[in-house]
Amino acid sequence: MESNSEIHPGATTKDLRRRLLELIVLRTIALLLGLNFANRLALLPDHINAFPFLSFFNIFAISAAILFLLLWRIRCNEMLQLCLQIASDLILTTILVGYTHGIESPFVSFYLLIIIYCTLTLGRNGGMIGAALSMISYAGIILSIQLRYLSIGGIGGDSSQAVFRIAAHVLGFWAIAYLGTYLHKRLKLIEGELKEKIDSVTQLKRLNEHIITSIRSGLITTDLHGYIAVYNAAAGELTGRPPDEMRDQHIQLLIGDSFWAEILQSNLSRNAKPLRHEEWIAMPNGTKRFLGFSVSPLFDQSQVLRGYIISFQDLTEINRLEEEVRLKDRMAAVGRMAAGIAHEIRNPLTAMRGSVELLRSRTSLPPRDEKLLDILIRESDRLNQFVEDFLSYARPRKYEKKPLDLVPVLRDSVTLLRNSPQLRENHSLKLDIEAQSVHISGSINQLNQVFWNLSQNAIRAMPGGGSLTIRLRKTPQDSAQIIFQDTGIGMSREEMEQLFQPFHSGFAGGVGLGLSIVFQIMEDHQGKISFESEKGSGTSVVLNFPLESNASAAEVLEQAAKG
């Protein structure tokens, strides 16, 4: 005997409810079409017209369908409703067969339909029960007809022929039951395999989605026209545009027209190497990121090009580090020349200045010549100061770093700046300190030089007046941050790329060593300096210093590496 789990494929209430609804609809259609087509084809006996059997049957079939639909709607017990439908169909089919020629009735095939859906809904046991009940009902009809003919003294036809037909129909009933059972088992097996494959495909789909979501590189797929189909979470983080906003949008919105045109012209389907591209991308908040793109073709199973796969990473930090390496290489090259420059320029300059001083003290010269000697001394001093600055840049002095509080250091620098002649009435200076104390490890003199150079640059960038805001705060990343924000003339990207290059000044009369020295001091303090600026929109300089505990740890590691 089969277990209850074989009642129906999948053994779920949802499947049984669906099969019940299908059964209600199909049985009503089969009953109505079967009898009405039989009437059209003159297959019904003549005596059937003596009683409005056709109308009664149509009304009964429709009423039964409505009743079963109501039971299905109110969620009556599914097994009970199925048994009621099977019983009603057996009774109705038996009446039809008995009322329409009995053994020669065209509706004997309705028994086969009952056996089939018993098998498909109740399994092997249901099929056997359906075949047995159909056999009993059909044999009872034939026997009752034969007995009626005998009781009235008539002839019921050839009894051997009747027995043969009964046996043939009964054999057909059991054959259908067996075939239905076989089909039921095959259906269960196929549905089980299909469920496993669906589960496998679902798991693969989820795994694929998890892989795409977990990749820390941005991943985008587009069709041949450039409309985005897949846009993972990392792509949203790197570009500042969420996936829901970018799906079905054109990729030009992100990478621009020129890069998209380059993709279309690259013929990726024939080129085995991916297309690589690096570009600054504007973020929605106004900042920019340097992204490295790799574009590959997207083929289907037939190796037909269906779109493009675009992966990318954030190279902003790498780009910054490369710039620092190049800058340090230039600094190292300049440092190797520092000693030679000091001897070749400084010593003769000192001798020249001493000679001029001696000449002026011993000789009575006209006022015009006295003025020329003063110019010589002044220009010698200026050239000597340039050499001093150059040596400070190329060969920094060694100094001792101590724990200090940035708050008083920065306040002293701002006080000195407020009293400097460079600060005019049309300049506004604001100090915003968001912490009571900010402790780092450093040199006060060197930090004052950094603050002074940056403040002087900000004021010089505002020749027509403006405001300079200096802000000090602690960041969530355990660092001290100082921001110099001015409303000056700003800088273009080309000018920002040359900020730390020696002897490159953005102001008339500048030597071009101030920011280079600032950069070295920040490096010595394990700090970072960054610029944000646009032409005509001011400049923001951000200084980040490790707090005292972090700075001490970094110094210990640095000394251990040197040791």
Side-chain angles (χ1 to χ4, degrees):
M1 296 293 290
E2 294 181 338
S3 63
N4 291 334
S5 63
E6 200 174 293
I7 287 178
H8 58 281
T12 63
T13 303
K14 183 177 180 181
D15 288 340
L16 185 55
R17 280 184 57 81
R18 177 176 56 82
R19 292 183 183 277
L20 277 174
L21 181 61
E22 293 173 353
L23 180 57
I24 294 170
V25 175
L26 293 177
R27 65 186 292 278
T28 304
I29 294 174
L31 290 173
L32 293 175
L33 291 180
L35 187 61
N36 287 280
F37 270 108
N39 182 49
R40 290 280 186 181
L41 298 174
L43 299 177
L44 299 179
D46 295 336
H47 69 272
I48 202 171
N49 295 323
F51 177 75
F53 180 80
L54 187 62
S55 300
F56 171 79
F57 179 85
N58 289 334
I59 294 172
F60 180 82
I62 294 174
S63 300
I66 294 173
L67 174 63
F68 288 130
L69 281 174
L70 289 175
L71 293 175
W72 182 86
R73 180 68 178 175
I74 64 175
R75 293 183 175 272
C76 178
N77 184 276
E78 285 81 7
M79 285 303 301
L80 177 61
Q81 183 176 349
L82 179 61
C83 293
L84 288 175
Q85 291 187 193
I86 293 173
S88 65
D89 288 345
L90 279 171
I91 294 172
L92 191 58
T93 301
T94 303
I95 294 173
L96 275 175
V97 172
Y99 209 72
T100 55
H101 298 303
I103 198 169
E104 297 178 356
S105 173
F107 301 108
V108 176
S109 59
F110 281 9
Y111 285 118
L112 304 180
L113 298 178
I114 295 172
I115 296 170
I116 291 174
Y117 76 69
C118 282
T119 305
L120 294 178
T121 55
L122 298 175
R124 183 181 67 184
N125 293 341
M128 297 303 162
I129 293 172
L133 292 176
S134 299
M135 179 189 70
I136 294 171
S137 300
Y138 182 67
I141 293 172
I142 302 305
L143 290 176
S144 65
I145 292 175
Q146 293 296 327
L147 291 174
R148 187 178 62 181
Y149 279 123
L150 291 174
S151 65
I152 63 176
I155 300 175
D158 188 352
S159 59
S160 61
Q161 183 180 2
V163 172
F164 175 79
R165 289 192 176 184
I166 292 174
H169 282 110
V170 170
L171 181 62
F173 294 163
W174 289 103
I176 290 298
Y178 175 78
L179 179 61
T181 301
Y182 175 76
L183 293 176
H184 172 261
K185 290 183 177 180
R186 291 294 301 169
L187 182 60
K188 282 190 65 178
L189 180 61
I190 292 174
E191 286 192 354
E193 293 176 352
L194 180 60
K195 186 176 183 300
E196 290 180 0
K197 290 182 179 180
I198 290 175
D199 291 342
S200 178
V201 171
T202 302
Q203 291 177 0
L204 287 175
K205 182 179 179 181
R206 289 177 180 174
L207 178 61
N208 181 60
E209 290 176 352
H210 287 319
I211 291 174
I212 292 176
T213 304
S214 302
I215 290 176
R216 300 318 303 158
S217 298
L219 182 66
I220 301 174
T221 64
T222 72
D223 59 15
L224 291 174
H225 302 290
Y227 290 97
I228 297 173
V230 174
Y231 192 92
N232 70 344
E237 295 174 3
L238 292 176
T239 62
R241 296 175 172 86
D244 294 340
E245 175 186 324
M246 292 301 295
R247 288 193 183 97
D248 299 326
Q249 298 293 327
H250 202 281
I251 193 65
Q252 286 176 297
L253 182 64
L254 177 64
I255 64 175
D257 299 339
S258 59
F259 186 25
W260 173 243
E262 185 179 353
I263 293 175
L264 295 178
Q265 296 171 5
S266 60
N267 195 10
L268 291 174
S269 58
R270 295 184 180 179
N271 190 356
K273 295 183 179 180
L275 174 64
R276 301 190 183 279
H277 182 80
E278 296 179 354
E279 186 174 349
W280 286 95
I281 299 296
M283 305 288 286
N285 58 5
T287 61
K288 290 187 177 182
R289 280 183 178 172
F290 191 69
L291 302 182
F293 294 90
S294 177
V295 185
S296 303
L298 176 61
F299 295 109
D300 61 11
Q301 294 179 347
S302 303
Q303 294 300 306
V304 177
L305 183 64
R306 295 298 184 187
Y308 304 98
I309 303 173
I310 303 174
S311 61
F312 55 94
Q313 299 83 31
D314 185 4
L315 304 181
T316 306
E317 185 66 16
I318 295 176
N319 181 265
R320 185 187 66 80
L321 293 176
E322 289 177 349
E323 287 293 332
E324 288 186 8
V325 170
R326 286 192 289 267
L327 180 60
K328 289 178 179 179
D329 288 342
R330 290 195 296 267
M331 289 181 175
V334 173
R336 287 190 292 268
M337 296 187 300
I341 291 177
H343 286 286
E344 294 297 330
I345 297 179
R346 200 173 186 183
N347 293 339
L349 184 63
T350 303
M352 290 170 56
R353 191 182 191 285
S355 299
V356 172
E357 287 283 356
L358 183 62
L359 181 62
R360 187 173 64 174
S361 64
R362 292 183 177 181
T363 307
S364 176
L365 297 175
R368 180 179 178 182
D369 294 337
E370 287 279 353
K371 186 176 181 181
L372 291 175
L373 291 178
D374 291 338
I375 293 175
L376 282 174
I377 293 174
R378 186 175 66 250
E379 291 301 317
S380 298
D381 291 339
R382 190 173 72 86
L383 186 56
N384 187 64
Q385 184 61 45
F386 169 74
V387 173
E388 289 286 343
D389 291 341
F390 178 75
L391 290 176
S392 297
Y393 157 71
R395 194 170 52 191
R397 299 186 185 93
K398 298 295 182 181
Y399 54 89
E400 183 181 359
K401 290 184 288 185
K402 299 179 180 179
L404 57 88
D405 187 356
L406 277 177
V407 174
V409 175
L410 193 59
R411 281 177 175 165
D412 291 344
S413 295
V414 171
T415 300
L416 182 62
L417 182 63
R418 290 185 189 278
N419 295 282
S420 67
Q422 290 85 359
L423 196 70
R424 302 185 181 89
E425 294 181 357
N426 53 2
H427 288 128
S428 171
L429 179 60
K430 178 182 178 182
L431 177 62
D432 183 8
I433 298 178
E434 301 179 5
Q436 293 182 350
S437 62
V438 181
H439 294 278
I440 69 168
S441 178
S443 166
I444 294 179
N445 293 333
Q446 297 295 318
L447 292 177
N448 281 330
Q449 185 175 358
V450 170
F451 301 155
W452 180 258
N453 283 344
L454 294 178
S455 300
Q456 289 293 309
N457 286 345
I459 293 174
R460 296 177 70 181
M462 300 183 291
S467 63
L468 170 61
T469 301
I470 303 175
R471 183 178 296 109
L472 171 63
R473 64 173 185 170
K474 291 182 179 179
T475 69
Q477 293 75 27
D478 292 331
S479 65
Q481 187 176 84
I482 304 176
I483 303 173
F484 291 77
Q485 177 71 54
D486 67 61
T487 59
I489 57 176
M491 294 179 288
S492 64
R493 179 157 298 279
E494 291 75 15
E495 291 174 328
M496 291 180 63
E497 290 176 353
Q498 299 176 346
L499 276 177
F500 301 112
Q501 290 187 10
F503 311 112
H504 178 82
S505 175
F507 304 106
V511 177
L513 290 176
L515 288 181
S516 300
I517 296 173
V518 166
F519 180 85
Q520 280 195 340
I521 295 174
M522 293 298 297
E523 285 288 308
D524 292 338
H525 285 76
Q526 289 87 40
K528 300 294 181 184
I529 180 171
S530 61
F531 285 74
E532 292 183 7
S533 182
E534 287 188 10
K535 202 68 174 176
S537 299
T539 301
S540 176
V541 185
V542 181
L543 306 177
N544 283 287
F545 298 91
L547 294 179
E548 183 180 357
S549 58
N550 298 334
S552 300
E555 290 174 9
V556 170
L557 291 176
E558 183 180 353
Q559 292 175 0
K562 291 180 179 179

